[in-house]
Amino acid sequence: MAKGFKIGVVGNRDAILPFRMIGFDVYAVNTGEEAHEVIDDLAGDNYGIIYLTEDFAKEIPDVIRHYDSQITPAVILIPTHKGQTNIGMRRVQENVEKAVGADIL
């Protein structure tokens, strides 16, 4: 990761607060629209990695697809304390399949 990039975490408050302890910037949101606005703001503010909770990712699939086509920021989906929806794992499998040419996971 290039020097100067920041890391942000966007999602519901309970799921993202622990990330503050390891030095990431955290942004609590309550709706998919708020998540969309925060992600756009972070993308314009030199964030190289944005972690997003899966519960909000499923509300804004077009935004996720948009940033998938960009070099930065990398939007990485994470499960919440409520469990995972497997959206993040499906994305990893799709990217591995694209890179390798087969589903090896």
Side-chain angles (χ1 to χ4, degrees):
M1 185 164 72
K3 186 175 181 179
F5 276 132
K6 298 180 266 184
I7 298 174
V9 185
V10 179
N12 66 62
R13 184 180 181 278
D14 293 337
I16 66 171
L17 277 181
F19 289 92
R20 181 177 285 163
M21 294 186 321
I22 56 176
F24 295 167
D25 298 332
V26 297
Y27 300 89
V29 296
N30 295 308
T31 66
E33 184 57 36
E34 286 180 13
H36 179 184
E37 291 172 12
V38 170
I39 290 169
D40 285 347
D41 289 346
L42 297 179
D45 193 25
N46 207 33
Y47 278 78
I49 298 174
I50 301 171
Y51 291 100
L52 174 65
T53 57
E54 289 181 342
D55 53 344
F56 288 108
K58 70 181 179 183
E59 293 183 36
I60 55 171
D62 293 339
V63 174
I64 304 303
R65 275 192 295 279
H66 168 74
Y67 286 106
D68 281 348
S69 68
Q70 307 298 311
I71 294 174
T72 58
V75 177
I76 301 168
L77 305 184
I78 56 174
T80 69
H81 62 289
K82 298 175 186 174
Q84 63 182 353
T85 62
N86 290 323
I87 296 171
M89 185 54 138
R90 280 196 305 272
R91 285 172 43 92
V92 169
Q93 287 175 318
E94 289 168 3
N95 287 328
V96 167
E97 191 168 336
K98 263 195 279 187
V100 178
D103 182 5
I104 60 171
L105 299 176

